[in-house]
Amino acid sequence: MMTLNEKLLAPLVTPSITFRNRVVMAPMSRRRSVNGVPGPSAPLYYSQRAGAGLIIAENSAVASNGIGYLNAPGIYNSKQKEAWKKVADEVHKKGGKIFIQLVHSGRIGHPLNHEGEAMLVAPSAIRANETIRTLSDPHAPIPEPLALSTTEVQALVESHVQAAVSAIAIGFDGVEIHGAHGFLPEQFLHPHTNHRTDRYGGSIAGRSRFLLEIMEGVVAAIGKERTGIRLSPFATLNDLPAYAEETATHQYITDALQQLDILYIHLSDQSAGGNPPIPIAYIQDIRKRFRNLLILAGGFTAESAETMLQTGLADLIAFGRPFIANPDLVERFRHNTALTEGNEHTYYTGGDCGYIDYPAIY
């Protein structure tokens, strides 16, 4: 008979890292990093939530033209790195484990949100039919990006690798490459946004090359045991429609990631927001192709997380919004305590309000 949260709260031991439970704090952009620098309250925010088996810190840009959203953080200059080091140190003082998610937003963003008003870049010069908040306009149309040259693509691969090296140097336990949600790596994967004729376009192998070169470079630089990736097959986020080769593309990527022997794949299901779900049959197929850790995210409760872990289809379950208003989420699961509802108006703005002021009861 299944005991309440039996697997969810149990430790997970791997040859390289031990998680004290199977609860992951999902990477959530809180947009409180003025000029891309995590604010002074960020160490407290993350350390309050260090009871998670793993924290994945919010997506942080690897280059000045990859920030995307107003007040999102980066990890490409000294001030950003100094601020992130304080976060990692505070989480470790509480006995927690913390990775950082590395991102380049590509065509999603606005020059006004970038250091030096750097232009948007993308695989091809195809504008996203979306709006984005800037200091002067809450609904600014996203402009057309510049198409990257082959040399510039290779430079951005190296930017990811250097960001990973920096993350380990300042104390993070590992990194997660953001290959999901319609940002630059997925823009390369997708035929709607990738019309290239060089080695980074055309076939599934060509369109996958940018992402896999990042993964190869990061593994070589910091080790496979410190490397994960987030993917969101079928999510149709950020103006990326469904496409015929999507399953085959992700199967190709998964097989390559197994060859690289990375620590984990993190699948982000966006169906709670009205997007298509990741089919169970697809997860079962990934489970056969990839033999290391699989993290699932997407509207889980403690009960549904436990059920999924019991099926063996996942090793860890990521929770997003519940962690915003419940810094002691793991203990609330342990004691079967009701969860606090977060204030959506302060998810992305508000300074310390709605950030570090949710009380823990354990």
Side-chain angles (χ1 to χ4, degrees), residues 27-38 58-76 80 101-115 118-120 128-143 178 180-184 186-187 230 232 236-240 270 347-349:
M28 292 177 287
S29 181
R30 301 304 308 277
R31 301 178 198 170
R32 286 163 164 85
S33 301
V34 178
N35 297 323
V37 179
E58 62 201 279
N59 59 68
S60 299
V62 301
S64 60
N65 59 1
I67 285 269
Y69 296 94
L70 181 65
N71 294 332
I75 188 174
Y76 56 82
Q80 295 163 353
Q101 188 185 66
L102 304 180
V103 71
H104 193 294
S105 59
R107 71 182 191 141
I108 302 301
H110 199 286
L112 293 178
N113 293 341
H114 293 166
E115 182 181 337
M119 295 295 292
L120 300 182
N129 186 27
E130 303 276 354
T131 63
I132 202 159
R133 183 166 67 96
T134 69
L135 271 177
S136 58
D137 187 347
H139 302 289
I142 291 179
H178 201 340
H181 297 180
F183 296 129
L184 188 61
E186 191 169 29
Q187 292 163 27
R230 197 177 211 201
S232 57
T236 66
L237 293 179
N238 279 321
D239 196 32
L240 289 185
Q270 294 293 307
Y347 282 176
Y348 303 121
T349 58

Side-chain angles (χ1 to χ4, degrees), residues 48-240:
Q48 286 174 332
R49 291 152 179 82
L54 174 65
I55 292 173
I56 306 172
E58 62 201 279
N59 59 68
S60 299
V62 301
S64 60
N65 59 1
I67 285 269
Y69 296 94
L70 181 65
N71 294 332
I75 188 174
Y76 56 82
N77 67 36
S78 58
K79 288 184 179 179
Q80 295 163 353
K81 294 171 192 176
E82 289 168 9
W84 275 126
K85 184 180 188 305
K86 294 175 183 177
V87 170
D89 288 348
E90 288 302 310
V91 169
H92 288 148
K93 286 178 185 177
K94 293 285 189 72
K97 297 285 198 311
I98 183 166
F99 281 35
I100 187 169
Q101 188 185 66
L102 304 180
V103 71
H104 193 294
S105 59
R107 71 182 191 141
I108 302 301
H110 199 286
L112 293 178
N113 293 341
H114 293 166
E115 182 181 337
E117 297 190 7
M119 295 295 292
L120 300 182
V121 296
S124 303
I126 300 169
R127 188 182 75 83
N129 186 27
E130 303 276 354
T131 63
I132 202 159
R133 183 166 67 96
T134 69
L135 271 177
S136 58
D137 187 347
H139 302 289
I142 291 179
E144 182 178 297
L146 300 175
L148 290 158
S149 69
T150 302
T151 301
E152 289 169 335
V153 174
Q154 293 165 343
L156 283 179
V157 170
E158 184 59 23
S159 294
H160 283 80
V161 175
Q162 288 305 311
V165 170
S166 295
I168 299 304
I170 62 179
F172 283 96
D173 297 298
V175 306
E176 176 179 285
I177 301 302
H178 201 340
H181 297 180
F183 296 129
L184 188 61
E186 191 169 29
Q187 292 163 27
F188 271 90
L189 293 178
H190 203 298
H192 174 68
T193 43
N194 186 342
H195 296 178
R196 302 178 70 91
T197 57
D198 65 357
R199 64 197 300 266
Y200 294 100
S203 66
I204 288 175
R207 287 185 278 107
S208 302
R209 194 180 309 278
F210 176 66
L211 177 57
L212 294 179
E213 284 186 356
I214 291 171
M215 301 307 296
E216 290 163 4
V218 170
V219 165
I222 68 170
K224 62 186 182 182
E225 72 282 359
R226 294 187 178 96
T227 304
I229 188 170
R230 197 177 211 201
L231 300 169
S232 57
F234 317 112
T236 66
L237 293 179
N238 279 321
D239 196 32
L240 289 185

Side-chain angles (χ1 to χ4, degrees), residues 290-318:
F290 186 75
R291 295 186 292 277
N292 295 340
L293 302 180
L294 185 62
I295 304 174
L296 299 183
F300 283 96
T301 64
E303 293 74 21
S304 62
E306 180 66 28
T307 299
M308 183 61 75
L309 291 170
Q310 291 284 348
T311 68
L313 286 180
D315 299 290
L316 303 109
I317 301 294

